[in-house]
Every structure is written in structure tokens, then in C-alpha cells.
Amino acid sequence: MTGIWALAALWLCLALVASLLSIWFRISTALSEIVVGTIAQLIIGAAIGAAVLGTDETWVKFLSGMGAIVLTFLAGAELDPVVFRAKWKEAGAIELASFFLPFLGCAAGAHYLLGWDVMPSWLAGVAMSTTSVAVVYAVMIEFGFNTTDYGKTVLAACFVTDLGTVVALGLIFAPFTLKTLIFIGVGVVVFVVLPWITPRFFRLYGNRPSELEAKYLLLCLLGMGALATWADSEAVLPAYLIGMVLAGTVGKDHALIRRLRTLTFGLLTPFYFIRAGSFVSIPDLVAAPIAFVCMLVIKIFTKMIGVYPMT
């Protein structure tokens, strides 16, 4: 176990450094953790070896995945049902603009400007069009935007954009199968039953030192996450939907949300964001700067011309 404790200490040291950097430079902690992960992988990999950071360790992957799932759930739980019903047209319009223009623009740029083959070009379009709900939610929490109507509208739009990404990936690279239908069917039942059973279950057995509410929610998230990955989808997709359907119950329990945030931001999300940053290869960026700049410029330009007039 010595190696595991030492590696965990290294990751939490990086998380602490990232938090200090976010305070000193007044930037989001999520952004600083991604940057720290990129730099740490470069320095540690060059000095000792790329495997030292342990990004492929099973327990690191688990904590990273848990961070993405719980953070996405919290983003969904923060949605005010009243605001969402009032702003669904705005959220849908922003989603359509923020997904389709970068998707088509980046795919075309990769194919016609960079000379990539058709399938890599479609993959570039999907990758450049997506928006991380987890990152947006983390930023909004830090700056207080999650309590505003427009912040909740943006979160809803981010989710629908990610849903479009999942659908595009499925249609282009992994066509829908019987597993997908089973996942959708079970999901519909779960999303209908959860809003009814959860408040009653919490009233009967909640508010105890055993933190039963957190265990119950983690069971739902991991169960649906396992079903989603079995169906070749993403575990964060049902997590956001569970958060949305429980926004009227869990989202109004501020003490529970606060405890979940402590678990998530204190332990889980540093593994998620630092691990994500570690996958960025600076030598590859240096070796192919034109492709990087091309994709970045097309993504930002198409996002702006689509989203800015809409907002």
C-alpha cells in the first residue's frame, strides 16, 4: 500500500498547488487543475517517467470517473425546474447553435484545410463542438453564477449540447443497438420513479449521521452509469438527468448539496481535472502547431457566430 499512499499524496499535492494558483491568479480551479495536470505530466514524465503519475491506475480512473459523475449530477440538481420550464426555448436555441456550427465547421476545416480523412474529420467536429457541463458548473459555482437564471439556462444548454455530442458519436461511430434501447427503456422508468420515491425515502430514513442520502444517490448514479457504459454511452449522461429530475428534491436540500460539494470538490474533481490535463501532450502541440491553431480558431469563431447573436 505504500506506493498507493505515496501516489495519492502526489495527486493531492498537485490539487493543492492548483487551488493556490487559482487563488493567486484569480482563475477557475478547474482550469488550474487541468493546466497543472498538463505541466506535471510533462515535467514528471521527462524527469522520471510518464508512468509515475499513475493516470492509468484503476483507482485513479475510478476517482476521476466518480468526480465527473457526481459533479455532473450536482450541475443537474442545481437547475431550478421553474426556470428551466420558462427558459427551455432559450436553452434549446443556444444548444442548436453551439453544437451544429462548431461540429460542421471543425469537421470541414479538418477535412479541407488539414487534409484529414473523413472519419477523423467527423471525430474532430464532434470533439470541438462539445461543452463540458462539469467544467462550466465548476466555474459557475466559484463565481456564483449558478444561482442566476441565465446561469441555469447556460447549464441546461450545455447539457443539451453534450447530448447532441453523444448522439453524434453514436450515429457516426457506434450505431444504436439493442443495448441502447434497453438503456433508454430502463432510464425512462428510473427517471419517472425517482422523483416520486426519493422524497418519501428521505423523509423516512434521512437526516441521520450515517449520511444515507449520499449513499442512496451514489447507488443511483453508479447503477445508471454502469448501465450507460454497458450500452456504449457515457456515465455522465444519466447522472445529469438524475440531477435534473431530482432538482425539486435534492436541489432544495442545501445542506445535502453542501456536503456533496465538499466530497466532490475536496476529493473527486481534482483527480478528474488533473487526469484530463495529463492527457494533453505539449510535445505533440509543439510538433503540430498549425493544426492546433486551426482547430482552436474555427471552434471559437463558429461558437461565437452561433451563440453570441442567440444570447
Side-chain angles (χ1 to χ4, degrees), residues 152-182:
K152 295 173 182 178
T153 304
V154 170
L155 280 174
C158 287
F159 165 71
V160 182
T161 301
D162 282 356
L163 181 60
T165 302
V166 172
V167 173
L169 284 173
L171 291 174
I172 298 173
F173 297 100
F176 291 103
T177 63
L178 179 61
K179 291 182 178 180
T180 308
L181 295 177
I182 294 174

mmCIF file of all heavy atoms in Angstrom, residues 152-182:
data_model
loop_
_atom_site.group_PDB
_atom_site.id
_atom_site.type_symbol
_atom_site.label_atom_id
_atom_site.label_comp_id
_atom_site.label_asym_id
_atom_site.label_seq_id
_atom_site.Cartn_x
_atom_site.Cartn_y
_atom_site.Cartn_z
ATOM 1 N N LYS A 152 -28.400 29.182 -14.941
ATOM 2 C CA LYS A 152 -29.123 27.913 -15.040
ATOM 3 C C LYS A 152 -29.510 27.620 -16.485
ATOM 4 O O LYS A 152 -29.529 26.460 -16.909
ATOM 5 C CB LYS A 152 -30.351 27.959 -14.142
ATOM 6 C CG LYS A 152 -30.003 28.064 -12.653
ATOM 7 C CD LYS A 152 -31.228 28.277 -11.791
ATOM 8 C CE LYS A 152 -30.827 28.436 -10.325
ATOM 9 N NZ LYS A 152 -31.989 28.695 -9.451
ATOM 10 N N THR A 153 -29.800 28.662 -17.235
ATOM 11 C CA THR A 153 -30.107 28.471 -18.656
ATOM 12 C C THR A 153 -28.886 27.967 -19.406
ATOM 13 O O THR A 153 -28.981 27.066 -20.255
ATOM 14 C CB THR A 153 -30.593 29.789 -19.280
ATOM 15 O OG1 THR A 153 -31.709 30.285 -18.543
ATOM 16 C CG2 THR A 153 -30.978 29.590 -20.734
ATOM 17 N N VAL A 154 -27.724 28.519 -19.109
ATOM 18 C CA VAL A 154 -26.486 28.086 -19.751
ATOM 19 C C VAL A 154 -26.183 26.628 -19.404
ATOM 20 O O VAL A 154 -25.765 25.837 -20.265
ATOM 21 C CB VAL A 154 -25.320 29.002 -19.344
ATOM 22 C CG1 VAL A 154 -23.991 28.416 -19.794
ATOM 23 C CG2 VAL A 154 -25.503 30.388 -19.932
ATOM 24 N N LEU A 155 -26.380 26.250 -18.136
ATOM 25 C CA LEU A 155 -26.149 24.865 -17.736
ATOM 26 C C LEU A 155 -27.069 23.914 -18.502
ATOM 27 O O LEU A 155 -26.642 22.834 -18.936
ATOM 28 C CB LEU A 155 -26.371 24.704 -16.228
ATOM 29 C CG LEU A 155 -25.228 25.154 -15.318
ATOM 30 C CD1 LEU A 155 -25.641 25.079 -13.855
ATOM 31 C CD2 LEU A 155 -23.989 24.293 -15.555
ATOM 32 N N ALA A 156 -28.318 24.305 -18.650
ATOM 33 C CA ALA A 156 -29.249 23.471 -19.414
ATOM 34 C C ALA A 156 -28.796 23.354 -20.864
ATOM 35 O O ALA A 156 -28.841 22.266 -21.465
ATOM 36 C CB ALA A 156 -30.652 24.061 -19.337
ATOM 37 N N ALA A 157 -28.356 24.459 -21.443
ATOM 38 C CA ALA A 157 -27.886 24.439 -22.824
ATOM 39 C C ALA A 157 -26.641 23.568 -22.971
ATOM 40 O O ALA A 157 -26.485 22.847 -23.965
ATOM 41 C CB ALA A 157 -27.594 25.857 -23.304
ATOM 42 N N CYS A 158 -25.753 23.618 -21.976
ATOM 43 C CA CYS A 158 -24.541 22.789 -22.021
ATOM 44 C C CYS A 158 -24.897 21.309 -22.047
ATOM 45 O O CYS A 158 -24.297 20.521 -22.781
ATOM 46 C CB CYS A 158 -23.656 23.072 -20.811
ATOM 47 S SG CYS A 158 -22.804 24.650 -20.873
ATOM 48 N N PHE A 159 -25.897 20.947 -21.235
ATOM 49 C CA PHE A 159 -26.290 19.545 -21.217
ATOM 50 C C PHE A 159 -26.840 19.102 -22.574
ATOM 51 O O PHE A 159 -26.493 18.041 -23.082
ATOM 52 C CB PHE A 159 -27.342 19.285 -20.144
ATOM 53 C CG PHE A 159 -28.038 17.964 -20.316
ATOM 54 C CD1 PHE A 159 -27.366 16.791 -20.058
ATOM 55 C CD2 PHE A 159 -29.339 17.905 -20.783
ATOM 56 C CE1 PHE A 159 -27.982 15.570 -20.241
ATOM 57 C CE2 PHE A 159 -29.972 16.700 -20.962
ATOM 58 C CZ PHE A 159 -29.290 15.525 -20.687
ATOM 59 N N VAL A 160 -27.691 19.919 -23.166
ATOM 60 C CA VAL A 160 -28.282 19.536 -24.443
ATOM 61 C C VAL A 160 -27.202 19.467 -25.520
ATOM 62 O O VAL A 160 -27.240 18.611 -26.411
ATOM 63 C CB VAL A 160 -29.395 20.526 -24.845
ATOM 64 C CG1 VAL A 160 -30.046 20.102 -26.146
ATOM 65 C CG2 VAL A 160 -30.451 20.612 -23.752
ATOM 66 N N THR A 161 -26.191 20.328 -25.431
ATOM 67 C CA THR A 161 -25.063 20.254 -26.358
ATOM 68 C C THR A 161 -24.324 18.935 -26.200
ATOM 69 O O THR A 161 -23.978 18.270 -27.184
ATOM 70 C CB THR A 161 -24.097 21.427 -26.122
ATOM 71 O OG1 THR A 161 -24.783 22.659 -26.313
ATOM 72 C CG2 THR A 161 -22.922 21.362 -27.083
ATOM 73 N N ASP A 162 -24.072 18.536 -24.943
ATOM 74 C CA ASP A 162 -23.406 17.255 -24.700
ATOM 75 C C ASP A 162 -24.266 16.093 -25.168
ATOM 76 O O ASP A 162 -23.751 15.079 -25.650
ATOM 77 C CB ASP A 162 -23.091 17.106 -23.213
ATOM 78 C CG ASP A 162 -21.871 17.912 -22.807
ATOM 79 O OD1 ASP A 162 -21.251 18.512 -23.696
ATOM 80 O OD2 ASP A 162 -21.546 17.947 -21.609
ATOM 81 N N LEU A 163 -25.581 16.211 -25.011
ATOM 82 C CA LEU A 163 -26.473 15.173 -25.507
ATOM 83 C C LEU A 163 -26.342 15.047 -27.026
ATOM 84 O O LEU A 163 -26.313 13.931 -27.574
ATOM 85 C CB LEU A 163 -27.919 15.488 -25.128
ATOM 86 C CG LEU A 163 -28.984 14.478 -25.567
ATOM 87 C CD1 LEU A 163 -28.716 13.110 -24.959
ATOM 88 C CD2 LEU A 163 -30.378 14.966 -25.188
ATOM 89 N N GLY A 164 -26.244 16.176 -27.718
ATOM 90 C CA GLY A 164 -26.026 16.140 -29.159
ATOM 91 C C GLY A 164 -24.715 15.463 -29.515
ATOM 92 O O GLY A 164 -24.632 14.722 -30.508
ATOM 93 N N THR A 165 -23.687 15.673 -28.692
ATOM 94 C CA THR A 165 -22.398 15.021 -28.919
ATOM 95 C C THR A 165 -22.519 13.512 -28.792
ATOM 96 O O THR A 165 -21.981 12.752 -29.606
ATOM 97 C CB THR A 165 -21.357 15.543 -27.917
ATOM 98 O OG1 THR A 165 -21.242 16.960 -28.058
ATOM 99 C CG2 THR A 165 -20.010 14.901 -28.151
ATOM 100 N N VAL A 166 -23.219 13.067 -27.743
ATOM 101 C CA VAL A 166 -23.402 11.631 -27.531
ATOM 102 C C VAL A 166 -24.156 11.007 -28.700
ATOM 103 O O VAL A 166 -23.795 9.933 -29.203
ATOM 104 C CB VAL A 166 -24.143 11.372 -26.205
ATOM 105 C CG1 VAL A 166 -24.512 9.901 -26.057
ATOM 106 C CG2 VAL A 166 -23.294 11.816 -25.018
ATOM 107 N N VAL A 167 -25.204 11.682 -29.156
ATOM 108 C CA VAL A 167 -25.991 11.167 -30.282
ATOM 109 C C VAL A 167 -25.138 11.123 -31.549
ATOM 110 O O VAL A 167 -25.175 10.136 -32.313
ATOM 111 C CB VAL A 167 -27.249 12.030 -30.496
ATOM 112 C CG1 VAL A 167 -27.971 11.618 -31.770
ATOM 113 C CG2 VAL A 167 -28.179 11.924 -29.298
ATOM 114 N N ALA A 168 -24.350 12.171 -31.780
ATOM 115 C CA ALA A 168 -23.497 12.206 -32.973
ATOM 116 C C ALA A 168 -22.458 11.095 -32.937
ATOM 117 O O ALA A 168 -22.218 10.419 -33.951
ATOM 118 C CB ALA A 168 -22.810 13.568 -33.083
ATOM 119 N N LEU A 169 -21.851 10.879 -31.781
ATOM 120 C CA LEU A 169 -20.878 9.788 -31.654
ATOM 121 C C LEU A 169 -21.541 8.440 -31.934
ATOM 122 O O LEU A 169 -20.958 7.564 -32.581
ATOM 123 C CB LEU A 169 -20.259 9.792 -30.257
ATOM 124 C CG LEU A 169 -19.196 10.854 -29.973
ATOM 125 C CD1 LEU A 169 -18.820 10.838 -28.501
ATOM 126 C CD2 LEU A 169 -17.959 10.610 -30.830
ATOM 127 N N GLY A 170 -22.762 8.278 -31.402
ATOM 128 C CA GLY A 170 -23.461 7.023 -31.608
ATOM 129 C C GLY A 170 -23.813 6.782 -33.060
ATOM 130 O O GLY A 170 -23.644 5.676 -33.582
ATOM 131 N N LEU A 171 -24.283 7.826 -33.736
ATOM 132 C CA LEU A 171 -24.689 7.671 -35.131
ATOM 133 C C LEU A 171 -23.497 7.456 -36.061
ATOM 134 O O LEU A 171 -23.570 6.684 -37.013
ATOM 135 C CB LEU A 171 -25.475 8.907 -35.585
ATOM 136 C CG LEU A 171 -26.865 9.091 -34.961
ATOM 137 C CD1 LEU A 171 -27.457 10.418 -35.384
ATOM 138 C CD2 LEU A 171 -27.791 7.940 -35.371
ATOM 139 N N ILE A 172 -22.375 8.136 -35.784
ATOM 140 C CA ILE A 172 -21.231 8.086 -36.691
ATOM 141 C C ILE A 172 -20.314 6.906 -36.400
ATOM 142 O O ILE A 172 -19.862 6.205 -37.304
ATOM 143 C CB ILE A 172 -20.429 9.405 -36.616
ATOM 144 C CG1 ILE A 172 -21.305 10.576 -37.056
ATOM 145 C CG2 ILE A 172 -19.180 9.324 -37.491
ATOM 146 C CD1 ILE A 172 -20.646 11.932 -36.842
ATOM 147 N N PHE A 173 -20.034 6.654 -35.103
ATOM 148 C CA PHE A 173 -19.007 5.672 -34.749
ATOM 149 C C PHE A 173 -19.550 4.411 -34.078
ATOM 150 O O PHE A 173 -18.918 3.363 -34.145
ATOM 151 C CB PHE A 173 -17.971 6.319 -33.819
ATOM 152 C CG PHE A 173 -17.235 7.455 -34.462
ATOM 153 C CD1 PHE A 173 -17.603 8.770 -34.209
ATOM 154 C CD2 PHE A 173 -16.187 7.228 -35.330
ATOM 155 C CE1 PHE A 173 -16.940 9.833 -34.803
ATOM 156 C CE2 PHE A 173 -15.514 8.272 -35.936
ATOM 157 C CZ PHE A 173 -15.892 9.581 -35.672
ATOM 158 N N ALA A 174 -20.676 4.495 -33.392
ATOM 159 C CA ALA A 174 -21.208 3.331 -32.685
ATOM 160 C C ALA A 174 -22.721 3.320 -32.837
ATOM 161 O O ALA A 174 -23.448 3.819 -31.975
ATOM 162 C CB ALA A 174 -20.819 3.378 -31.203
ATOM 163 N N PRO A 175 -23.207 2.775 -33.935
ATOM 164 C CA PRO A 175 -24.652 2.793 -34.206
ATOM 165 C C PRO A 175 -25.463 2.206 -33.062
ATOM 166 O O PRO A 175 -25.005 1.329 -32.338
ATOM 167 C CB PRO A 175 -24.765 1.928 -35.469
ATOM 168 C CG PRO A 175 -23.426 2.017 -36.122
ATOM 169 C CD PRO A 175 -22.438 2.135 -35.003
ATOM 170 N N PHE A 176 -26.676 2.708 -32.909
ATOM 171 C CA PHE A 176 -27.544 2.257 -31.828
ATOM 172 C C PHE A 176 -27.852 0.765 -31.978
ATOM 173 O O PHE A 176 -28.075 0.265 -33.082
ATOM 174 C CB PHE A 176 -28.845 3.065 -31.836
ATOM 175 C CG PHE A 176 -28.655 4.497 -31.435
ATOM 176 C CD1 PHE A 176 -28.650 5.507 -32.383
ATOM 177 C CD2 PHE A 176 -28.482 4.823 -30.101
ATOM 178 C CE1 PHE A 176 -28.473 6.830 -32.012
ATOM 179 C CE2 PHE A 176 -28.313 6.144 -29.724
ATOM 180 C CZ PHE A 176 -28.302 7.148 -30.675
ATOM 181 N N THR A 177 -27.876 0.073 -30.835
ATOM 182 C CA THR A 177 -28.108 -1.363 -30.803
ATOM 183 C C THR A 177 -29.230 -1.671 -29.821
ATOM 184 O O THR A 177 -29.854 -0.768 -29.251
ATOM 185 C CB THR A 177 -26.831 -2.106 -30.377
ATOM 186 O OG1 THR A 177 -26.484 -1.698 -29.033
ATOM 187 C CG2 THR A 177 -25.673 -1.786 -31.317
ATOM 188 N N LEU A 178 -29.453 -2.967 -29.597
ATOM 189 C CA LEU A 178 -30.448 -3.398 -28.615
ATOM 190 C C LEU A 178 -30.076 -2.907 -27.224
ATOM 191 O O LEU A 178 -30.944 -2.561 -26.416
ATOM 192 C CB LEU A 178 -30.567 -4.923 -28.633
ATOM 193 C CG LEU A 178 -31.558 -5.540 -27.636
ATOM 194 C CD1 LEU A 178 -32.973 -5.050 -27.911
ATOM 195 C CD2 LEU A 178 -31.489 -7.069 -27.709
ATOM 196 N N LYS A 179 -28.771 -2.858 -26.930
ATOM 197 C CA LYS A 179 -28.321 -2.350 -25.636
ATOM 198 C C LYS A 179 -28.766 -0.906 -25.428
ATOM 199 O O LYS A 179 -29.156 -0.518 -24.326
ATOM 200 C CB LYS A 179 -26.795 -2.442 -25.527
ATOM 201 C CG LYS A 179 -26.243 -3.863 -25.440
ATOM 202 C CD LYS A 179 -24.729 -3.826 -25.293
ATOM 203 C CE LYS A 179 -24.150 -5.221 -25.145
ATOM 204 N NZ LYS A 179 -22.673 -5.195 -24.997
ATOM 205 N N THR A 180 -28.701 -0.130 -26.501
ATOM 206 C CA THR A 180 -29.121 1.269 -26.405
ATOM 207 C C THR A 180 -30.602 1.364 -26.064
ATOM 208 O O THR A 180 -31.005 2.179 -25.228
ATOM 209 C CB THR A 180 -28.849 1.991 -27.727
ATOM 210 O OG1 THR A 180 -27.499 1.782 -28.125
ATOM 211 C CG2 THR A 180 -29.100 3.482 -27.579
ATOM 212 N N LEU A 181 -31.416 0.538 -26.699
ATOM 213 C CA LEU A 181 -32.854 0.543 -26.424
ATOM 214 C C LEU A 181 -33.138 0.133 -24.985
ATOM 215 O O LEU A 181 -34.016 0.704 -24.325
ATOM 216 C CB LEU A 181 -33.575 -0.380 -27.404
ATOM 217 C CG LEU A 181 -33.536 0.032 -28.883
ATOM 218 C CD1 LEU A 181 -34.220 -1.020 -29.740
ATOM 219 C CD2 LEU A 181 -34.183 1.397 -29.073
ATOM 220 N N ILE A 182 -32.407 -0.878 -24.490
ATOM 221 C CA ILE A 182 -32.592 -1.305 -23.094
ATOM 222 C C ILE A 182 -32.218 -0.175 -22.141
ATOM 223 O O ILE A 182 -32.931 0.105 -21.165
ATOM 224 C CB ILE A 182 -31.744 -2.561 -22.806
ATOM 225 C CG1 ILE A 182 -32.265 -3.743 -23.630
ATOM 226 C CG2 ILE A 182 -31.764 -2.900 -21.314
ATOM 227 C CD1 ILE A 182 -31.395 -4.990 -23.523
#
